[in-house]
């Protein structure tokens, strides 16, 4: 066990946990931030996607010891005051079915659009293919991403 | 599969079914029960202390006009938590923005809560309308009395009652007075006519939309019970088999591990509502529990299914399918007809086991309390079954068990089984405190209730005049019933009525057969169940028949449908099962099937010329009482990679209560079908599942799923029917037929492998 200083959603936080604990379980169990989901634990499904210094990463496979002094953003940290444009687009297109994968989908989409405001289909595929949606909301995910892109033009 | 001994008819309220809303005290308010129930007292408050009008269990109104609607079916992504309440809101003329939803706990008083089998809207459409119309009628009556006018001069609109003179009262203002009125008889209520619907047949976004996109929505493990320990279970790779011994020394040395113990395995056959069992690891957080699980060493016992290997079994079932089976539907003389046929189209179709792999793995929160009660929270499709199962496992009366239903991170049938909830309750009792049980993805994929593996053999005879005159269909698969009973040795009639026995084509000589196949692993129902196999086989062979006859596949299907008629399946099949509905009430109507086929032909621009390497395929299938036709467009490149640029669906599901959610079910259904057709396969060797996670149990990603799915809903005033499952059965054969057109390769085994 060790104390780690974390910067999550622009807040300084301190946790006392095993150094190899993945960020996912630190968020969920220690900090009671449950917006980030468990889907596979092996970086295969994207349900646990968060941003580390703006990059989308799978928090289930990211030991806490590797992220001190890095800026973490979770689904709770986007659109805190008003909804993020990607969240708005998700609502506009009625993307979610069960919704369980959507925190991860939205985090991946935000990261994509930050870097590539106008992604092609191939770029969307590349950025989003790590995120499984068992309900199959893919058509609307693509549509929502494109609608944000259009507003970026 | 459907537990429906409760009836949905409204019944007259008797005195003892009334309970007072305690918080209201003197308002004289009575709370009734609209759905048949046991008649015991229902002391549960309506969740709102200020509710003053609550004429039934589903809806209440406060003095400020806030409407609370109880959602009593489970939300797993179909939108049902929104779609049933909006029916109430529509009939009552409520403002949807003033409606608050409360998820009902598991309790028999709500009637059927088993959210499974695509029947929620079908079963509750009418009761929900009556619940809404009841409260509206009371409000109209109250306003009329207050104004001292005839009630016929009043109408309800947008949360107000308006008099013909223009004066109006808000609903909230009328609540108190309305609560003193006698509850009207259901038979005397006026229901809205379809052209006046405000929400029904229009689009309504799901209630939880904003919570979902902001990460606030609460699924199973998001329930926060401070002090809850975390549990994971190490399980015998062979379902139901036991434990010789185990060594937990190293695991117990890990800081934060508090207990490791053995939970008895259920044996085989087993019960849907008994634990899988194994070695239970209790720790202070999930990561520690997972690490400790890896450190536990176990000697597993071999069980009765340790020789089960799907490769061998599939070969064995294929053999069985070549031989005459037990006929369950016979018309004419199949042997004669096939003997005299000019041509016979013969084909075999193989389907593997599939896992549900819902996005959220099974999980549960349980708190066994010192007063001998137990409260659980979890993503469950069937909360009443959970309640009964936990009461049984803990030897408690049902009243001591409270089942709270969270949002479900998808289920596809998996979470209708209470096994994981019972495990959590037992663990909580064992450790004397609250616990969260996580099934890791490995647990989920290796210990599912799988879709049944299946071999089919079909022979379709064509006579000298190029007409189809004979239909032989043998479907061999281990039954779901075999999971819980050794005496279930062959597919049940219910399972065969998912495609085989309810085959709608008008053909003179028919034999539909099955035979024994032993269930050797947990088998359950996966989205559309046996329709997956049968839709695949029938939709595929019809394409072969069309090509053999030199007829366009859609024309072929339309011709085989024959005359427009309601098919009298009751006289054709002993014990025919029509998704638990009477054939008279929900007949198989060939003109409705014809209509969806004709419409998909037009909408898909069927027959357009496709460039090289591309193809279009068609199939149609009735399931869960809905009629669906599907055209898939496919693109296969030189590397044999398959892309699905477009899917066209036409569906007739009767009254389309929430069309956007119906479309979403079909978009998602096509993606689910793409997983089954292109990616997924569970194989078993020596009793153990060989796949473990999404690295080798593959599912459709954004790159595999259809790029576009167009859904056309036939306008209809008929009773609403299922939409969650019906998208799957026609999609898979339509895709396979498209691949044939694009490549010339016939697909007769799933998942598709191109050579
Ligand atoms: S839970 Fe992290 S990628 Fe699946
Ligand atoms: S919305 Fe259910 S898994 Fe994506």
């Amino acid at each position: 066990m060790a104390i780690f200083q974390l910067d999550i959603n622009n807040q300084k936080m301190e946790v006392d946990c095993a150094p190899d604990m993945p960020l996912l379980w630190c968020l969920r169990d220690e900090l009671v931030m449950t917006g980030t989901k468990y889907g596979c634990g092996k970086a295969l499904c994207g349900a646990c996607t968060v941003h580390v210094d703006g990059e989308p990463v799978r928090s289930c496979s990211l030991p806490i010891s590797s992220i001190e002094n890095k800026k973490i953003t979770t689904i709770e940290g986007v659109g805190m005051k008003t909804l993020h444009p990607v969240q708005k687009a998700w609502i506009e297109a009625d993307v979610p079915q069960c919704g369980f994968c959507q925190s991860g989908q939205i985090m991946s989409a935000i990261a994509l659009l930050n870097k590539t405001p106008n992604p092609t289909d191939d770029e969307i595929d590349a950025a989003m293919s790590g995120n499984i949606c068992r309900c199959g909301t893919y058509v609307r995910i693509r549509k929502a991403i494109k609608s944000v892109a259009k507003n970026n033009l | 599969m459907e537990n429906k001994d409760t009836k949905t008819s409204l019944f007259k309220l008797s005195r003892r079914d009334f309970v007072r809303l305690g918080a209201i005290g003197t308002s004289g308010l009575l709370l009734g029960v609209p759905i048949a129930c046991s008649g015991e007292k229902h002391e549960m408050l309506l969740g709102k202390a200020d509710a003053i009008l609550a004429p039934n269990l589903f809806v209440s109104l406060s003095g400020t006009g806030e409407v609370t609607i109880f959602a009593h079916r489970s939300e797993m992504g179909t939108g049902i938590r929104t779609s049933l309440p909006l029916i109430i809101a529509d009939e009552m003329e409520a403002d949807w923005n003033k409606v608050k939803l409360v998820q009902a706990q598991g309790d028999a008083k709500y009637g059927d809560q088993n959210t499974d089998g695509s029947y929620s809207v079908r079963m509750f459409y009418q009761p929900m309308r009556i619940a809404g119309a009841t409260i509206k009628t009371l409000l109209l009556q109250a306003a009329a009395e207050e104004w001292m006018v005839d009630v016929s001069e009043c109408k309800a609109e947008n949360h107000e009652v308006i008099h013909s003179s223009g004066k109006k009262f808000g609903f909230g203002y009328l609540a108190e007075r309305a609560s003193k009125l006698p509850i009207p008889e259901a038979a005397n209520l006026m229901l809205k006519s379809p052209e006046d619907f405000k929400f029904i047949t229009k689009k309504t976004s799901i209630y939880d939309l904003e919570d979902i996109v902001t990460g606030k929505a609460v699924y199973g493990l998001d329930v926060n019970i401070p002090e809850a320990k975390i549990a994971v279970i190490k399980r015998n790779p062979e379902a139901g088999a036991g434990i010789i011994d185990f060594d937990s020394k190293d695991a117990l040395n890990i800081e934060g591990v508090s207990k490791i113990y053995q939970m008895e395995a259920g044996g085989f056959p087993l019960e849907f509502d008994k634990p899988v069992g194994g070695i239970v690891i209790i720790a202070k957080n999930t990561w520690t529990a997972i690490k400790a699980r890896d450190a536990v060493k176990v000697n597993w016992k071999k069980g009765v299914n340790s020789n089960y290997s799907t490769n061998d079994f599939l070969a064995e079932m294929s053999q069985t399918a070549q031989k005459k089976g037990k006929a369950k539907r016979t018309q004419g003389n199949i042997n004669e007809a096939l003997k005299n046929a000019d041509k016979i189209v013969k084909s075999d179709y193989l389907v593997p086991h599939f896992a549900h792999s819902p996005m959220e793995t099974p999980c549960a929160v349980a708190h066994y309390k010192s007063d001998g009660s137990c409260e659980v929270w979890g993503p469950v499709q069937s909360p009443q079954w959970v309640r009964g199962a936990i009461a049984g496992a803990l030897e408690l009366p049902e009243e001591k068990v409270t089942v709270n239903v969270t949002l479900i991170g998808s289920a596809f049938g998996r979470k209708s089984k209470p096994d994981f909830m019972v495990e959590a309750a037992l663990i909580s009792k064992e450790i004397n405190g609250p616990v969260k049980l996580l099934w890791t993805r490995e647990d989920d994929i290796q210990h599912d209730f799988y879709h049944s593996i299946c071999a089919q053999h079909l022979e379709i005879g064509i006579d000298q005049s190029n007409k189809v005159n004979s239909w032989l269909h043998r479907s061999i698969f281990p039954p779901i019933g075999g999971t819980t009973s050794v005496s279930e040795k062959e597919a049940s009639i219910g399972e065969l009525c998912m495609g085989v026995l309810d085959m709608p084509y008008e053909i003179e000589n028919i034999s539909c057969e099955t035979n024994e196949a032993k269930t050797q692993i947990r088998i359950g129902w996966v989205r559309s169940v046996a329709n997956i196999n049968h839709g695949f086989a029938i939709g595929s062979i019809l394409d072969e028949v069309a090509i053999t006859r030199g007829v366009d596949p859609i024309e072929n299907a339309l011709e085989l449908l024959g005359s427009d008629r309601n098919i009298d399946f009751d006289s054709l099949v002993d014990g025919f099962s029509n998704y638990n509905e009477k054939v008279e009430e929900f007949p198989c109507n060939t003109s409705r099937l014809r209509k969806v086929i004709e419409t998909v032909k037009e909408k898909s621009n069927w027959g357009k010329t496709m460039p090289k390497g591309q193809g279009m395929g068609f199939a149609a299938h009735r399931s869960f009482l809905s009629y669906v036709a599907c055209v898939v467009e496919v693109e296969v490149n030189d590397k044999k990679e398959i892309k699905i640029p477009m899917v066209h669906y036409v569906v007739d599901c009767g009254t389309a209560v929430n069309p956007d959610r119906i479309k979403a079910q079909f978009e998602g259904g096509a993606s689910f079908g793409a997983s089954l057709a292109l990616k997924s396969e569970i194989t078993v060797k020596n009793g153990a599942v060989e796949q473990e996670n999404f690295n080798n149990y593959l599912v459709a990603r954004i790159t595999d799923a259809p790029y576009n799915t167009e859904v056309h809903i036939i306008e209809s005033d008929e009773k609403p029917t299922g939409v969650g499952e019906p998208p799957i059965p026609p999609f898979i054969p339509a895709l396979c037929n498209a691949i044939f057109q694009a490549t010339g390769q016939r697909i007769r085994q799933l998942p598709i492998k191109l050579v």
Side-chain angles (χ1 to χ4, degrees):
Chain A
M1 303 286 281
I3 308 270
F4 294 93
Q5 314 284 336
L6 303 176
D7 177 343
I8 301 178
N9 302 333
N10 289 324
Q11 262 186 293
K12 302 272 175 252
M13 298 188 183
E14 209 178 82
V15 287
D16 182 6
C17 66
D20 61 350
M21 181 186 281
L23 173 60
L24 169 68
W25 299 117
C26 177
L27 289 169
R28 293 188 56 87
D29 290 348
E30 309 298 322
L31 302 170
V32 199
M33 295 171 68
T34 53
T36 306
K37 305 300 185 202
Y38 166 83
C40 70
K42 300 277 161 69
L44 297 164
C45 78
C48 65
T49 306
V50 300
H51 297 172
V52 176
D53 291 339
E55 290 293 324
V57 292
R58 312 299 180 215
S59 66
C60 67
S61 304
L62 193 69
I64 216 71
S65 58
S66 71
I67 51 166
E68 264 196 301
N69 308 319
K70 299 201 169 149
K71 282 178 87 66
I72 315 291
T73 311
T74 70
I75 189 72
E76 289 90 349
V78 291
M80 287 227 266
K81 287 197 193 79
T82 54
L83 290 175
H84 188 280
V86 169
Q87 290 170 315
K88 282 192 198 149
W90 246 242
I91 289 176
E92 198 48 44
D94 289 284
V95 173
Q97 289 185 28
C98 82
F100 193 79
C101 72
Q102 300 296 345
S103 298
Q105 304 280 4
I106 289 169
M107 296 310 284
S108 290
I110 291 176
L112 164 68
L113 287 158
N114 281 344
K115 251 203 195 129
T116 318
N118 252 299
T120 61
D121 273 327
D122 286 347
E123 285 165 330
I124 293 176
D125 282 352
M128 302 304 293
S129 61
N131 288 82
I132 292 172
C133 174
R134 284 293 281 151
C135 296
T137 61
Y138 300 121
V139 173
R140 296 195 194 207
I141 286 172
R142 191 184 299 277
K143 182 171 150 199
I145 290 174
K146 287 188 173 172
S147 79
V148 179
K150 201 150 110 221
N151 293 334
N152 286 342
L153 276 177
Chain B
M1 64 183 269
E2 296 168 9
N3 163 25
K4 294 206 291 178
D5 35 17
T6 43
K7 274 276 165 281
T8 56
S9 59
L10 300 203
F11 71 95
K12 202 164 175 278
L13 294 162
S14 70
R15 200 69 216 169
R16 64 180 187 146
D17 283 326
F18 288 179
V19 274
R20 272 166 207 281
L21 272 187
I24 312 305
T26 56
S27 74
L29 165 91
L30 298 171
L31 163 76
V33 187
I35 302 291
C37 70
S38 59
E40 95 260 33
K41 283 237 171 195
H42 307 299
E43 294 296 348
M44 202 178 80
L45 291 177
L46 267 177
K48 294 286 300 166
D50 54 350
I52 53 176
L53 174 62
N56 56 58
L57 272 177
F58 291 99
V59 53
S60 72
L61 175 65
S62 78
T64 56
E66 192 179 50
V67 173
T68 301
I69 298 180
F70 267 69
H72 74 300
R73 313 282 295 173
S74 299
E75 180 57 74
M76 54 188 145
T78 62
I80 197 63
R81 185 170 134 84
T82 305
S83 298
L84 287 180
L86 71 80
I87 299 170
I88 297 185
D90 200 337
E91 280 292 346
M92 104 176 246
E93 301 293 355
D95 175 351
W96 185 247
N97 293 320
K98 296 192 175 117
V99 172
K100 185 180 163 229
L101 298 191
V102 176
Q103 188 67 35
Q105 295 173 329
D107 195 319
K109 70 185 173 191
Y110 296 108
D112 187 309
Q113 286 183 281
N114 179 18
T115 314
D116 206 329
S118 298
Y119 66 83
S120 293
V121 174
R122 177 174 105 216
M123 180 181 268
F124 286 98
Y125 182 59
Q126 207 61 5
M128 291 297 121
R129 293 184 72 187
I130 290 170
T134 303
I135 197 161
K136 178 178 73 183
T137 305
L138 290 167
L139 292 166
L140 287 171
Q141 194 73 44
E145 282 184 11
E146 185 114 357
W147 285 321
M148 293 194 292
V149 299
D150 193 88
V151 72
S152 64
E153 294 164 32
C154 306
K155 64 171 182 180
E157 203 177 286
N158 199 26
H159 236 75
E160 291 174 327
V161 174
I162 304 167
H163 182 246
S164 51
S165 65
K167 54 190 174 187
K168 37 178 100 158
F169 285 131
F171 276 3
Y173 173 83
L174 295 167
E176 173 83 37
R177 186 183 261 277
S179 73
K180 306 214 166 73
L181 298 171
I183 294 165
E185 292 272 351
N188 300 335
L189 295 169
M190 287 277 287
L191 297 183
K192 290 173 76 166
S193 62
E195 60 272 19
D196 297 329
F197 285 152
K198 297 237 165 49
F199 306 127
I200 302 170
T201 69
K202 314 285 187 292
K203 179 193 150 169
T204 306
S205 291
I206 54 172
Y207 184 77
D208 302 293
L209 189 51
E210 189 162 329
D211 281 350
I212 288 171
V213 302
T214 53
K216 293 193 190 82
V218 175
Y219 301 85
L221 287 184
D222 302 339
V223 172
N224 181 24
I225 307 291
E227 305 308 316
K229 297 267 198 244
I230 306 289
V232 295
I233 302 181
K234 191 169 180 118
R235 302 166 194 282
N236 192 325
E238 182 189 336
I243 293 154
I244 298 167
D245 55 24
F246 69 102
D247 172 2
S248 58
K249 211 157 65 278
D250 293 349
L252 281 167
N253 279 336
I254 298 173
E255 193 185 340
V257 178
S258 53
K259 184 173 177 125
I260 296 179
Y261 75 99
Q262 177 173 344
M263 182 187 279
E264 274 321 313
F268 199 95
L270 36 73
E271 297 293 330
F272 290 138
D273 55 1
K274 294 275 170 353
V276 180
I279 305 299
V280 182
I281 293 97
I282 311 288
K284 66 174 183 187
N285 58 51
T286 315
W287 180 239
T288 307
I290 290 174
K291 277 202 297 187
R293 181 167 77 166
D294 291 340
V296 176
K297 298 181 211 51
V298 192
N299 284 316
W300 301 112
K301 270 190 195 146
K302 280 199 181 309
V304 292
N305 297 321
S306 59
N307 290 327
Y308 183 47
S309 290
T310 42
N311 251 345
D312 303 342
F313 191 61
L314 209 48
E316 187 187 317
M317 286 197 304
S318 298
Q319 288 299 316
T320 309
Q322 306 312 313
K323 296 183 295 241
K324 176 150 184 56
K326 304 178 191 176
K328 305 287 176 180
R329 174 178 169 187
T330 314
Q331 282 162 260
N333 186 333
I334 192 74
N335 290 338
E336 268 313 289
L338 283 174
K339 215 178 329 158
N340 297 329
D342 186 43
K343 293 179 197 130
I344 299 177
V345 180
K346 255 190 221 193
S347 229
D348 285 61
Y349 297 92
L350 303 177
V351 179
H353 286 301
F354 296 120
H356 300 84
S357 62
M359 204 66 228
E360 173 199 45
T361 56
C363 58
V365 182
H367 193 181
Y368 182 84
K369 296 171 191 156
S370 49
D371 63 358
S373 67
C374 183
E375 182 163 12
V376 296
W377 296 257
V380 296
Q381 291 177 249
S382 188
Q384 291 173 28
W385 193 4
V386 170
R387 194 183 195 196
I390 290 177
L394 301 183
E395 296 174 359
L396 295 175
E398 279 204 7
E399 306 81 74
K400 293 268 190 193
V401 179
T402 306
V403 179
N404 302 287
V405 181
T406 65
L407 288 177
I408 303 178
S410 72
F412 315 120
R414 170 64 184 94
K415 293 165 184 168
S416 61
K417 315 291 194 311
D419 55 335
F420 57 99
M421 299 298 294
V422 176
E423 284 182 345
L426 286 167
I427 296 169
S428 177
K429 185 171 180 189
E430 173 79 25
I431 66 170
N432 225 331
V435 72
K436 292 183 168 191
L437 170 67
L438 171 74
W439 279 47
T440 61
R441 181 59 65 192
E442 289 79 7
D443 292 323
D444 170 57
I445 288 188
Q446 305 202 313
H447 295 279
D448 194 12
F449 292 93
Y450 304 95
H451 171 73
S452 194
I453 191 167
C454 177
Q456 294 171 82
H457 175 79
L458 288 92
E459 293 185 27
I460 315 299
I462 299 166
D463 68 14
Q464 271 82 8
S465 57
N466 204 23
K467 294 269 177 258
V468 174
N469 75 346
S470 40
W471 180 275
L472 169 68
H473 187 174
R474 296 193 190 116
S475 181
I476 316 294
F477 57 98
I480 294 170
T483 305
T484 56
S485 159
V486 274
S487 61
E488 301 285 332
K489 294 197 174 77
E490 62 181 40
S492 68
I493 294 288
E495 288 167 307
L496 292 169
C497 285
M498 295 185 167
V500 179
L501 301 178
D502 55 341
M503 189 282 290
Y505 300 104
E506 203 168 36
I507 295 165
E508 225 177 289
N509 304 288
I510 295 176
S511 184
C512 300
E513 306 170 7
T514 190
N515 220 325
E516 293 191 359
K518 192 168 173 209
T519 305
Q520 297 169 77
I521 198 163
R522 303 206 302 177
I523 292 178
W525 44 94
V526 176
R527 194 176 188 179
S528 92
V529 204
N531 285 296
I532 296 172
N533 313 329
H534 302 146
F536 168 48
I538 294 174
S540 299
I541 201 148
L542 282 178
D543 201 63
E544 297 201 45
V545 168
I547 288 168
T548 308
R549 295 178 67 207
V551 178
D552 172 80
I554 287 190
E555 296 312 321
N556 181 58
L558 290 171
E559 184 195 318
L560 291 184
L561 264 183
S563 54
D564 283 350
R565 67 205 187 280
N566 287 342
I567 304 177
D568 183 12
F569 280 124
D570 283 335
S571 74
L572 297 174
V573 178
D574 244 2
F576 186 76
S577 149
N578 195 38
Y579 298 94
N580 293 327
E581 296 288 354
K582 288 205 178 81
V583 174
E584 308 89 79
E585 274 173 50
F586 289 88
C588 175
N589 181 296
T590 55
S591 62
R592 290 176 75 182
L593 193 50
R594 179 179 300 281
K595 177 85 191 256
V596 292
I597 296 174
E598 285 169 347
T599 311
V600 88
K601 179 179 175 188
E602 172 204 323
K603 297 280 170 194
S604 66
N605 195 8
W606 176 253
K608 68 181 176 196
T609 336
M610 302 295 279
K612 191 173 169 303
Q614 296 185 27
M616 255 182 150
F618 153 83
H621 193 89
R622 170 185 178 267
S623 67
F624 302 89
L625 312 172
S626 291
Y627 304 80
V628 183
C630 180
V631 167
V632 174
E633 294 181 26
V634 84
E635 218 178 279
V636 183
N637 68 14
D638 295 342
K639 289 190 229 134
K640 306 281 178 207
E641 289 162 338
I642 298 168
K643 290 262 178 232
I644 307 170
M646 176 63 99
V647 177
H648 300 270
Y649 271 120
V650 177
V651 50
D652 177 353
C653 56
T655 302
V657 171
N658 194 353
D660 183 64
R661 286 304 89 192
I662 294 171
K663 289 188 175 160
Q665 282 305 296
F666 278 78
E667 292 160 8
S671 174
F672 197 86
S675 286
L676 305 183
L678 298 172
K679 298 268 153 188
S680 307
E681 178 175 28
I682 289 286
T683 55
V684 182
K685 205 167 176 188
N686 301 328
V689 169
E690 295 184 291
Q691 291 69 30
E692 52 205 352
N693 205 317
F694 292 126
N695 58 329
N696 46 18
Y697 188 73
L698 306 179
V699 297
R701 295 172 181 267
I702 195 167
T703 39
D704 312 300
Y707 182 84
N708 213 338
T709 299
E710 293 286 346
V711 185
H712 179 85
I713 304 171
I714 301 277
E715 241 181 81
S716 166
D717 291 341
E718 299 273 352
K719 286 173 273 194
T721 50
V723 295
E725 299 175 86
I728 320 296
F731 172 82
I732 296 173
L735 171 64
C736 296
N737 297 339
I739 289 174
F740 177 77
Q741 203 190 76
T743 66
Q745 188 182 329
R746 264 297 160 205
I747 307 299
R748 297 195 177 94
Q749 179 163 14
L750 301 183
I752 296 167
K753 292 189 179 86
L754 291 186
V755 288

